Amino acid sequence: MRTIGVVTSGGDAPGMNAAIRAITRIAYSENLQVLGFERGWEGLIESKFRPLTPRSVGGIIQSGGTILHTLRCPQFKRKEMIRKAAETLDLNKVDGLIVIGGNGSFKGALELSRETDTLIVGVPATIDNDVFGTDETIGFDTAVNTAVNEIDKIRDTAISHERTFIVEVMGRKRGFLALTVGITVGAEIILVPEVKFEKEEIFKILKENSAKGKKSSIIVAAEGIGDTRKLAKEIEKNTAAEVRLSILGYAQRGGSPTARSRLLASLFADKAVKLLLKGRGNRIVGLQKGRITSIELEKSCKTEKPLDLKLLRLASVLAT
Ligand code: F6P
């Protein structure tokens, strides 16, 4: 192992820069060269990369986003593009590649692993926290805190106007972000794609809350549950509640990473470089029950991470 490549791919997440920094400095301490591929998979397809040194990753641990830039690369589904990327790795004698990203990026990494001898290790970084093989992804804690801070502000105006707010959070098709945010803001209702909900049940809860003297409510809804604008209108039509919708959007993707996201990035980076040094490729690193570990890349790609529905029941008890 002499040269490793690093690439950030898919949706960016706060902490990606901390991971790039740690990978570079740990690799240098092991006398490895580091090449930073730019703009996700496009950097491999078009052979666009730059050397990373301990100095070139200085002063970035506190920055959101990724200094390597990233993108979604649908063309990476085409065999010839994957082969071009493999060629870049082989031509530049890249012995190991660390892919910092989420599920979509790891699926691309799995396809790439079949076309190259370069060892590939995934570092899970996505605000969605939906990667099988890790309890937590880089960026998730930061996105949770961003959302919590915004919803605490919304709670003020909800109380003042005695209004019900639907707050839509990200998470793509999963409810990990919505569930954790919902619990930590004391949401009266949490809606996740994994659990089918009846609108009548929502109307009933809001009416009961009002009768109990709860004059304002926060409903945290994962973006994957469907049309929240339509839901807001239906609630207003079927209850006495005055309803407003607030879509948190892309603020959840940015901001300075929390200490936890930075720590996870540094620990995952250490594990990833150590796996490559041991010649162990086609794995993703992860946090499992407090331990930094790794699982097979293919298993992660093919397994859906379960949502802890016990937490959903806890949330409803806490909101009474
Ligand atoms: O995967 C991270 C994420 O922020 C999802 O939560 C969201 O649905 C998606 O990316 C948005 O994708 P894009 O950045 O391509 O608009």
Side-chain angles (χ1 to χ4, degrees):
M1 186 69 56
R2 283 187 45 75
T3 302
I4 65 170
V6 188
V7 63
T8 48
S9 168
D12 63 332
M16 279 188 164
N17 278 330
I20 294 167
R21 168 183 175 274
I23 289 163
T24 302
R25 291 186 172 177
I26 295 163
Y28 260 75
S29 73
E30 302 285 349
N31 300 314
L32 299 173
Q33 299 295 314
V34 183
L35 303 179
F37 286 89
E38 301 178 356
R39 295 171 51 84
W41 294 126
E42 191 184 275
L44 279 92
I45 293 168
E46 297 182 5
S47 196
K48 286 194 185 131
F49 56 87
R50 64 178 192 265
L52 293 179
T53 67
R55 295 288 58 78
S56 62
V57 293
I60 66 171
I61 191 170
Q62 73 283 4
S63 309
T66 160
I67 59 169
L68 292 175
H69 301 101
T70 182
L71 47 72
R72 297 186 190 284
C73 189
Q75 65 266 33
F76 208 60
K77 291 190 171 63
R78 288 166 38 204
K79 206 69 161 166
E80 69 268 27
M81 292 299 149
I82 295 174
R83 286 209 180 100
K84 279 187 80 171
E87 223 171 82
T88 299
L89 294 171
D90 300 343
L91 282 175
N92 291 284
K93 297 185 175 46
V94 180
D95 305 301
L97 177 70
I98 297 177
V99 180
I100 304 171
N103 279 328
S105 303
F106 293 160
K107 289 188 172 75
L110 182 62
E111 292 306 312
L112 178 59
S113 70
R114 294 178 175 135
E115 302 294 332
T116 176
D117 294 332
T118 299
L119 298 176
I120 298 178
V121 172
V123 168
T126 166
I127 67 166
D128 300 342
N129 199 30
D130 58 352
V131 174
F132 182 83
T134 184
D135 297 340
E136 187 174 337
T137 51
I138 295 167
F140 177 66
D141 183 63
T142 305
V144 166
N145 281 284
T146 298
V148 166
N149 291 333
E150 292 308 300
I151 297 171
D152 285 351
K153 295 185 183 97
I154 292 170
R155 176 74 76 178
D156 290 342
T157 182
I159 292 169
S160 304
H161 283 260
E162 299 183 335
R163 281 172 169 166
T164 291
F165 272 81
I166 299 178
V167 183
E168 182 185 301
V169 298
M170 284 188 157
R172 196 176 288 279
K173 293 189 170 46
R174 302 303 310 272
F176 296 99
L177 199 49
L179 181 50
T180 302
V181 170
I183 289 175
T184 46
V185 298
E188 278 65 30
I189 296 171
I190 302 172
L191 303 175
V192 295
E194 293 85 348
V195 177
K196 200 166 166 12
F197 65 90
E198 298 301 330
K199 289 180 187 123
E200 289 64 31
E201 182 59 21
I202 296 175
F203 306 155
K204 179 168 166 282
I205 292 169
L206 292 176
K207 285 175 186 165
E208 286 171 354
N209 283 354
S210 177
K212 284 189 290 191
K214 248 184 196 260
K215 296 298 180 199
S216 68
S217 293
I218 297 282
I219 300 171
V220 172
E223 63 180 335
I225 64 144
D227 186 340
T228 48
R229 209 168 295 282
K230 185 163 161 256
L231 178 60
K233 289 197 176 73
E234 286 172 329
I235 294 174
E236 212 161 46
K237 217 166 82 198
N238 291 278
T239 70
E242 189 184 2
V243 184
R244 291 291 186 274
L245 170 64
S246 188
I247 298 175
L248 293 191
Y250 287 86
Q252 298 162 91
R253 282 263 287 276
S256 179
T258 59
R260 182 161 178 80
S261 288
R262 299 180 199 189
L263 179 64
L264 217 46
S266 305
L267 296 175
F268 280 3
D270 184 47
K271 183 71 179 177
V273 173
K274 298 291 167 41
L275 282 171
L276 290 176
L277 285 168
K278 287 183 200 147
R280 295 185 70 201
N282 300 350
R283 300 190 71 80
I284 68 136
V285 301
L287 174 73
Q288 291 189 12
K289 297 188 175 49
R291 284 186 60 250
I292 302 294
T293 178
S294 73
I295 68 162
E296 277 172 36
L297 177 59
E298 184 158 20
K299 184 165 171 52
S300 176
C301 292
K302 294 192 168 164
T303 314
E304 185 174 89
K305 179 175 175 179
L307 185 75
D308 183 351
L309 298 182
K310 289 196 302 301
L311 285 179
L312 214 49
R313 285 190 285 280
L314 169 66
S316 63
V317 171
L318 294 174
T320 44

